[in-house]
């Protein structure tokens, strides 16, 4: 992108909020500049202890321990550093008091951070608070503290899961922006989501190589298995949110179109269309991650476990691990039986009892063909069966709906036809068995045209449906993904073409 075409407003947008997040780390650097030593003259890691103090207050908050003050923090620091630094009890209290006063000045005012705001082009300042007063004990004259909202944000910013859930956070922000009509900001949010998806893809690639390289024990295998289960669950939740966002964007677009916004405010409507396209693209890339996570679970992880198993087999040496152990180590007879037992065959005795003739006999009937549930063949004789007459009408209805959708450009694939049925309120159709039978027969007999699969009397199940094709040919090819729109049935996606003979 050329510099002259760069939108400065887009670069500096939200500058104050970004600086605020950086300012939260400023107290830690203030602690780092304090040159403190222990009784042996060893420098004390003030910045590290400051961060650990925040984590201590965070744990206390989780456990609902609200009476946490200087003495409690000093006790924690003493237990943490007793094998590292040489300090007496008074020095520990001074250390705890210094850390608390750095996070929360004795004046009672919030900390302030001055900066130049490049978005508004003016000098500005930010106030923030990491710790706040929680309670006061009058009898002992003791002040207790707890983490403020800014302190919680700093703790979360230093934890690994914060970046893992960044995509989910962006999804929530995108929904809020769309609800407020901030379409330009929403488009930028989608671009940030694209970066998050690309980052996740790189992480999963590294994870795949790490799994193949690092599984050396059952404990490691279980750890990676749990990690992949967590990743797949999180990606599934994000995928559901993507679907809801797409529906929300489509509803917004249709609402604007109904209000003639596409004519009155063409730029706004064009922005909504671009949001729909970009969101579809990001969702497609995220869906690939979902498939990749499933592949890691079902293929890579299992392969690594099998490799671990066969490595154990190849490394087993009978002479070294069994024979040499028995020969070199004197064992009692009872222990020898225990060692050899897994390698001995079970005793077998073949005998036949005359009472077996009185046992229950299995009577089976030989059949030329196994009877069981099957797909109805398209060229079966129709007869006068009312069910077949009903099924012929249903197949005709499906073909008519498909041709209508195809003319609107919404049935080039079977998944698009599913979406079309949802839009016109006919989702009940793909909850029926005959819907899937119809497309399986179409794929099996592809290419299909009027006159195909006709019996001697021209009375087949698909006769009425194929008449609707006229002089065209229906070509059905299988796709890559699996469509699962209801709990009972699933079907592989298909690419569908209607062409002239």
């Amino acid at each position: 992108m050329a510099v002259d075409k760069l939108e400065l407003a887009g670069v500096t947008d939200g500058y104050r909020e970004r600086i605020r997040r950086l300012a939260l780390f400023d107290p830690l650097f203030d602690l780092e500049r304090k040159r403190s030593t222990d009784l042996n003259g060893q420098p004390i890691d003030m910045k590290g202890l400051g961060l650990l103090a925040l984590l201590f207050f965070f744990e206390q908050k989780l456990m609902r321990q609200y009476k946490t003050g200087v003495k409690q923090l000093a006790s924690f620091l003493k237990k943490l550093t007793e094998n590292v630094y040489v300090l007496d009890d008074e020095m520990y209290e001074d250390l705890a008091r210094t850390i608390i006063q750095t996070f929360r000045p004795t004046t009672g005012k919030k900390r302030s951070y001055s900066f130049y705001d490049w978005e508004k082009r003016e000098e500005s300042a930010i106030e923030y608070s990491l710790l706040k007063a929680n309670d006061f004990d009058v009898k002992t004259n003791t002040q207790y503290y707890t983490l403020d909202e800014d302190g919680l944000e700093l703790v979360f910013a230093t934890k690994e899961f914060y970046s893992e859930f960044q995509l989910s956070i962006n999804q929530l922000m995108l929904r809020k922006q769309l609800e407020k009509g901030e379409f330009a900001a929403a488009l930028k949010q989608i671009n940030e989501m694209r970066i998050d998806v690309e980052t996740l893809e790189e992480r999963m690639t590294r994870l795949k190589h790490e799994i193949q390289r690092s599984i050396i024990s059952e404990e490691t295998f279980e750890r990676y298995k749990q990690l992949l289960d967590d990743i797949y669950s999180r990606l599934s939740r994000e995928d559901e949110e993507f679907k809801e966002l797409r529906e929300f964007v489509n509803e917004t677009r249709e609402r604007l179109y109904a209000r003639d916004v596409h004519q009155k405010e063409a730029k706004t409507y064009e922005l909504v269309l671009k949001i729909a396209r970009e969101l579809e693209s990001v969702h497609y890339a995220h869906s690939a991650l979902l498939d990749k996570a499933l592949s890691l679970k079902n293929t890579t992880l299992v392969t690594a476990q099998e490799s671990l198993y066969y490595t154990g087999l190849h490394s087993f040496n009978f002479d070294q691990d069994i024979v040499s152990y028995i020969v070199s180590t004197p064992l009692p007879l009872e222990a020898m039986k225990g060692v050899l037992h897994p390698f001995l065959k079970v005793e077998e005795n073949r005998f036949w009892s005359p009472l077996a003739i009185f046992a229950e006999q299995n009577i089976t009937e030989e059949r030329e063909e196994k009877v069981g549930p099957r797909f109805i063949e398209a060229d079966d004789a129709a007869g006068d069966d009312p069910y077949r007459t009903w099924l012929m009408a249903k197949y005709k209805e499906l073909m008519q709906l498909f041709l209508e959708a195809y003319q609107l450009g919404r049935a080039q694939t079977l998944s698009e036809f599913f979406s079309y049925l949802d839009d016109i309120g006919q989702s009940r159709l793909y909850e029926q068995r005959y819907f899937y039978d119809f497309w399986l027969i179409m794929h099996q007999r592809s290419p299909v045209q009027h006159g195909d699969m006709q019996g001697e009397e021209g009375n087949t199940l698909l006769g009425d449906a194929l008449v609707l094709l006229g002089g065209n040919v229906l070509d059905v090819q299988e796709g890559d993904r699996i469509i699962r729109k209801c709990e009972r049935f699933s079907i592989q996606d298909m690419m569908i073409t209607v062409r002239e003979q």
Side-chain angles (χ1 to χ4, degrees):
M1 178 183 292
V3 177
D4 55 350
K5 295 182 180 179
L6 192 66
E7 294 186 4
L8 295 179
V11 176
T12 60
D13 183 38
Y15 182 79
R16 180 183 178 86
E17 181 62 25
R18 296 179 187 275
I19 288 294
R20 191 189 70 81
R21 296 188 180 188
L22 290 176
L24 296 180
F25 290 86
D26 196 49
L28 295 179
F29 293 106
D30 284 349
L31 287 172
E32 187 178 24
R33 287 188 285 268
K34 295 181 184 297
R35 304 298 181 182
S36 300
T37 58
D38 66 354
L39 294 176
N40 291 336
Q42 181 181 357
I44 298 176
D45 179 19
M46 296 295 292
K47 182 175 71 172
L49 294 181
L51 178 59
L52 291 170
L54 288 175
L55 296 177
F56 168 70
F57 279 105
F58 178 66
E59 293 296 328
Q60 295 293 96
K61 193 178 187 71
L62 291 179
M63 294 185 296
R64 301 179 182 274
Q65 297 291 335
Y66 299 115
K67 292 189 176 182
T68 306
V70 173
K71 291 186 177 181
Q72 288 75 20
L73 179 58
S75 177
F76 164 74
L77 293 175
K78 180 178 181 181
K79 186 175 182 181
L80 177 71
T81 64
E82 58 184 357
N83 296 325
V84 180
Y85 302 127
V86 180
L87 300 169
D88 55 27
D89 292 343
E90 184 179 352
M91 295 179 69
Y92 274 117
E93 286 196 12
D94 290 340
L95 182 61
R97 189 173 290 106
T98 300
I99 292 174
I100 290 178
Q101 290 176 358
T102 302
F103 291 149
R104 186 179 185 276
T106 54
T107 59
K109 296 181 179 179
K110 294 184 177 181
R111 287 185 61 95
S112 178
Y113 185 85
S114 301
F115 69 102
Y116 184 78
D117 192 337
W118 287 99
E119 183 179 9
K120 297 181 179 180
R121 302 302 178 105
E122 63 183 14
E123 293 290 339
S124 184
I126 292 174
E127 290 187 347
Y128 60 95
S129 173
L130 302 184
L131 289 180
K132 64 180 180 180
N134 186 50
D135 196 2
F136 183 77
D137 192 340
V138 179
K139 295 181 179 179
T140 60
N141 194 25
T142 303
Q143 180 71 61
Y144 299 116
Y145 305 92
T146 187
L147 279 183
D148 207 342
E149 292 183 3
D150 294 324
L152 282 172
E153 185 172 347
L154 177 56
V155 170
F156 289 150
T158 61
K159 297 193 77 173
E160 184 178 0
F161 71 81
Y162 185 80
S163 60
E164 290 179 359
F165 286 94
Q166 190 63 47
L167 182 59
S168 299
I169 295 172
N170 284 337
Q171 286 177 331
L172 295 175
M173 293 178 64
L174 176 61
R175 177 177 286 274
K176 293 295 183 183
Q177 290 166 343
L178 291 173
E179 290 174 352
K180 295 178 180 179
E182 300 173 355
F183 299 126
L187 188 59
K188 184 176 181 181
Q189 195 72 44
I190 293 175
N191 292 331
E192 292 186 6
M193 290 165 65
R194 185 189 301 278
I195 296 175
D196 293 335
V197 171
E198 291 174 355
T199 304
L200 285 174
E201 184 177 7
E202 293 175 0
R203 288 183 181 178
M204 292 190 66
T205 301
R206 291 198 300 267
L207 181 61
K208 178 180 179 180
H209 297 157
E210 187 179 343
I211 288 174
Q212 294 172 338
R213 182 176 59 249
S214 304
I215 292 187
I216 57 175
S217 66
E218 283 293 331
E219 291 78 8
T220 312
F221 170 79
E222 291 297 330
R223 181 166 59 86
Y224 278 111
K225 182 175 180 296
Q226 181 62 42
L227 175 62
L228 287 175
D229 288 339
D230 294 341
I231 291 175
Y232 186 77
S233 299
R234 178 162 52 85
L235 290 175
S236 298
R237 291 193 299 269
E238 292 171 352
D239 185 66
E240 291 296 326
E241 182 64 25
F242 266 120
K243 292 177 181 177
E244 293 181 5
L245 283 173
R246 284 177 56 192
E247 292 179 2
F248 186 78
V249 170
N250 290 333
E251 291 174 0
T252 303
R253 182 186 59 191
E254 293 174 358
R255 186 172 64 255
L256 293 177
Y257 187 86
R259 290 161 46 191
D260 293 334
V261 174
H262 63 290
Q263 295 178 351
K264 301 176 183 177
E265 301 178 20
K267 188 174 181 180
T268 300
Y269 189 72
E270 183 180 349
L271 199 58
V272 174
L273 293 179
K274 189 173 183 181
I275 288 174
R277 290 195 301 268
E278 293 297 326
L279 185 61
E280 180 77 23
S281 176
V282 175
H283 186 199
Y284 179 80
H286 186 270
S287 298
L289 287 183
L290 196 62
D291 294 337
K292 194 170 185 178
L294 188 62
S295 176
L296 281 175
K297 286 179 59 179
N298 297 339
T299 305
T300 307
L301 198 61
V302 174
T303 302
Q305 187 186 34
E306 292 177 352
S307 174
L308 177 65
Y309 172 74
Y310 286 111
T311 300
L313 286 181
H314 293 316
S315 63
F316 177 76
N317 188 302
F318 185 86
D319 291 336
Q320 179 179 350
D321 297 336
I322 301 299
V323 177
S324 62
Y325 178 72
I326 295 175
V327 173
S328 61
T329 306
L331 298 173
L333 184 60
E334 294 78 6
M336 289 290 291
K337 290 181 180 180
V339 173
L340 295 175
H341 188 271
F343 304 95
L344 301 177
K345 293 180 64 177
V346 179
E347 182 180 358
E348 297 180 358
N349 291 317
R350 298 179 62 86
F351 62 90
W352 178 79
S353 171
L355 296 177
I357 60 175
F358 299 107
E360 181 180 356
Q361 303 295 314
N362 292 327
I363 302 176
T364 59
E365 177 182 359
E366 294 184 358
R367 295 176 179 264
E368 295 182 358
E369 181 180 356
K370 183 178 179 181
V371 178
R374 63 186 179 90
F375 284 105
I376 298 176
E377 295 294 332
D379 55 354
D380 285 346
D384 296 325
D385 189 354
Y387 173 74
R388 290 181 178 275
T389 304
W390 173 83
L391 193 58
M392 290 172 65
K394 291 298 180 182
Y395 283 170
K396 181 179 179 181
E397 179 187 3
L398 283 179
M399 179 64 78
Q400 186 173 2
L401 287 173
F402 163 73
L403 293 176
E404 292 175 359
Y406 193 83
Q407 290 177 357
L408 296 175
R410 300 193 59 184
Q412 276 78 13
T413 63
L414 187 54
S415 57
E416 290 182 1
F417 185 47
F418 273 93
S419 300
Y420 175 77
L421 293 178
D422 287 336
D423 293 342
I424 65 174
Q426 293 290 338
S427 57
R428 58 177 180 79
L429 291 178
Y430 57 70
E431 296 176 356
Q432 308 300 322
R433 168 65 177 269
Y434 68 80
F435 180 91
Y436 299 87
D437 290 346
F438 174 82
W439 287 110
L440 289 175
I441 295 172
M442 290 293 103
H443 175 259
Q444 182 183 10
R445 302 299 178 92
S446 177
V448 181
Q449 59 184 340
H450 177 45
D452 289 352
M453 298 182 286
Q454 291 286 351
E456 295 181 358
E457 299 179 3
N459 192 19
T460 66
L461 288 172
L462 292 169
D464 294 343
L466 296 182
V467 170
L468 299 177
L469 285 175
N472 296 325
V473 178
L474 181 66
D475 191 5
V476 183
Q477 302 294 332
E478 66 184 43
D480 296 329
R481 55 189 291 255
I482 300 297
I483 305 174
R484 189 172 287 105
K485 296 285 287 187
C486 63
E487 295 181 357
R488 293 184 59 198
F489 306 108
S490 62
I491 190 171
Q492 192 163 357
D493 201 0
M494 300 179 185
M495 296 174 289
I496 311 169
T497 307
V498 179
R499 55 183 171 82
E500 297 180 358
Q501 294 185 6

